[in-house]
Every structure is written in structure tokens, then in C-alpha cells.
Amino acid sequence: MTMSPEPQAVAERELCGLVNGLAQQIAVHVRERAVTLGLTAAQATALREMTGPMTMRELAERMSCEPSNATFIVDKLEKQGLIERRAHPTDRRAKQLVLTPEGTTLRDRLLELLVQDSPLAALDAEQQRTLQHLLEQAIVRS
């Protein structure tokens, strides 16, 4: 006699719903904070991910988007004086993205806003690390 896959399917559906709900809450949170700084959510995401000089491809990977989408966003940030394109130090075919002093200041302010009332704020540091570990395990298995 085989067991029905129904209980596992229900549990997976519920878990997927929770993950999706959290992702939606985070997206709304980022969008609300971005607007207060005169940014789009995509621009805020790009600034958040700019932890140092990087190529467009690296930024696109961090943003989980295509390089052409990242280029469009970076073009806007460059026009605002927040990001510069510079020659890559080791690859003459590539450009490196670097925050300007104004970009660094705005990024710092953005990071402050993003941690305020974050959807993840209900979890303590250990719970956040556990959630991160579990999500990394689930993603690697995919």
C-alpha cells in the first residue's frame, strides 16, 4: 500500500506560500524605503548590493536580473551622480562600477532605513542565521 503524497504536497504548498509572502513583504518594505530617498525599488536594490567595486555582471547576479536590466538601472544611478563606471584594473574589456561619495552617503542612509521595521526584525540574530542557512540549503538543492 503506497502512501498518498497529499500531506507532503500540502506542507510544501504552505511553505511556498510563506516564502512568497515574506518575499512580497520585503519587496514592499524596500519600495517604501526607496521612495523616501527618491529611488525606485530597483535602484535601491542596486545600491544595497554595491558593497564595493564590481562589474555590471556581478551586480546583475546580486540583483538576480539580466545584465541588460542592471545596465538600465545603473544608467539612471549614473545620471544621478551616485555611481561611476571606471576602467577595470585587470580586465581592459570590462568596466567597474564604483559608488561616488554621494552614492556612498545615500547607500548608508538606505541601509539604515532598510533595517528599520524590516519584515525580518521579528527574528533575533540566531533565528535569522537559521533561516538563512535553511534557505541556502533549499536553494543549493534546486
Side-chain angles (χ1 to χ4, degrees):
M1 190 166 166
T2 61
M3 287 189 83
S4 166
E6 185 70 22
Q8 184 176 352
V10 169
E12 188 166 320
R13 179 181 54 78
E14 290 174 356
L15 183 57
C16 288
L18 290 169
V19 170
N20 187 45
L22 178 59
Q24 288 177 0
Q25 285 183 354
I26 291 170
V28 167
H29 180 73
V30 169
R31 193 169 33 256
E32 288 173 349
R33 299 317 183 266
V35 167
T36 66
L37 298 174
L39 299 169
T40 66
Q43 290 170 329
T45 300
L47 286 178
R48 180 189 67 202
E49 297 303 326
M50 286 288 301
T51 57
M54 65 185 64
T55 65
M56 189 71 71
R57 183 167 305 283
E58 291 167 329
L59 179 60
E61 286 175 14
R62 286 180 173 214
M63 293 177 65
S64 300
C65 70
E66 293 296 319
S68 60
N69 292 341
T71 298
F72 177 78
I73 295 161
V74 168
D75 286 347
K76 300 288 186 193
L77 293 171
E78 189 175 35
K79 285 179 184 169
Q80 293 173 298
L82 302 173
I83 287 182
E84 293 178 349
R85 287 177 170 97
R86 296 185 184 163
H88 194 282
T90 59
D91 183 352
R92 61 188 177 107
R93 297 168 295 152
K95 293 286 185 187
Q96 200 169 49
L97 305 173
V98 180
L99 289 173
T100 65
E102 295 82 6
T104 299
T105 299
L106 188 62
R107 181 180 184 274
D108 290 345
R109 181 69 185 126
L110 172 66
L111 295 179
E112 289 172 6
L113 291 174
L114 289 176
V115 297
Q116 293 174 3
D117 302 320
S118 164
L120 297 172
L123 303 177
D124 65 31
E126 180 63 29
Q127 290 171 320
Q128 287 184 24
R129 282 190 297 275
T130 299
L131 177 60
Q132 179 178 352
H133 177 73
L134 292 170
L135 291 171
E136 286 170 348
Q137 281 185 316
I139 290 169
V140 168
R141 294 187 61 174
S142 299

